[in-house]
Amino acid sequence: LLKKMNQDVDELDALVQEMLLYSRLERNAATPDIALQPVPVESWLPNAVEDEIEAAQAADISIPVAVAANVADAACEPRYMARAVQNLVRNALRYAKSRVEVNVGTREQRYFIEVDDDGPGIPEADHSRLFVPFARLDESRTREPNRSGGTGLGLAIVQRIAEWHGGNAVISTSSLGGARITIEWPQRALPAPVAAAD
């Protein structure tokens, strides 16, 4: 009973935190207060999802993280983009059987971050609905029957962060057999850092 109570408290805390973040994103939607900067993806990404990697390993799920050779720095707001990727990986872990993959690359002058899982997949009819706040799939689709299906805000937050970067998020079918959720946003030239005066 105590374990269940602690789990309920953790879920409520997660819901409150997600609601506060989503409210902040919505309040600033018209004039986002973000500063894009060059982020070294190869070191930034594993650090961003460190906790999620540990959770995957504890659940006996492999979670390789791959960055394409042609991607060095990506222009983004690192804190918000990290949150978007964390939400995608947490979502994938709820449905994965044994594997989640995170891949970063570029195509057609756009960065992309793809998160794949080998779970049951998402029906095409539900793709756009899952970016609506508080939308959730049937909890029977989760990897464990007693596992939380999430707050229903995670993917709405992902979409808002992607839009802030001039991009979007989309759901498709993964080659692993489950779902693939992709964030894409335009590549941008950023000014070079100003050298410090001698």
Side-chain angles (χ1 to χ4, degrees):
L1 180 61
L2 183 60
K3 181 179 179 181
K4 177 60 177 174
M5 289 174 62
N6 286 332
Q7 182 181 0
D8 289 343
V9 170
D10 289 344
E11 290 178 4
L12 284 171
D13 182 64
L15 175 59
V16 170
Q17 294 302 320
E18 294 282 76
M19 289 180 69
L20 288 173
L21 176 58
Y22 188 77
S23 175
R24 190 159 59 246
L25 293 175
E26 284 295 285
R27 186 172 62 247
N28 296 326
T31 55
D33 183 21
I34 63 172
L36 300 182
Q37 55 186 280
V39 173
V41 179
E42 196 161 9
S43 60
W44 165 81
L45 184 59
N47 288 334
V49 294
E50 182 177 6
D51 290 345
E52 287 69 31
I53 290 174
E54 291 181 2
Q57 292 171 342
D60 200 26
I61 297 175
S62 64
I63 181 168
V65 176
V67 179
N70 64 342
V71 179
D73 294 342
C76 68
E77 201 294 322
R79 183 167 58 93
Y80 282 123
M81 189 58 71
R83 182 56 181 269
V85 179
Q86 289 163 5
N87 283 6
L88 291 185
V89 174
R90 290 171 190 164
N91 183 77
L93 288 174
R94 291 190 187 101
Y95 299 95
K97 299 173 185 174
S98 62
R99 188 174 180 85
V100 170
E101 294 181 357
V102 182
N103 294 287
V104 182
T106 62
R107 54 177 166 243
E108 299 178 354
Q109 302 301 309
R110 295 172 72 84
Y111 300 108
F112 69 83
I113 300 175
E114 294 175 342
V115 178
D116 292 65
D117 67 68
D118 64 350
I122 300 173
E124 187 173 351
D126 290 330
H127 286 187
S128 59
R129 182 176 70 85
L130 287 180
F131 292 113
V132 177
F134 299 108
R136 295 167 64 173
L137 289 178
D138 182 344
E139 288 191 18
S140 66
R141 294 171 54 81
T142 57
R143 194 173 57 88
E144 298 176 8
N146 62 348
R147 193 165 186 175
S148 168
T151 64
L153 282 171
L155 294 184
I157 289 172
V158 168
Q159 184 68 275
R160 177 59 69 196
I161 291 172
E163 289 170 355
W164 274 20
H165 285 74
N168 66 337
V170 295
I171 300 174
S172 57
T173 300
S174 168
S175 59
L176 298 179
R180 167 179 290 173
I181 305 183
T182 305
I183 307 173
E184 291 187 332
W185 73 102
Q187 291 180 272
R188 292 185 176 89
L190 296 174
V194 178
D198 294 333

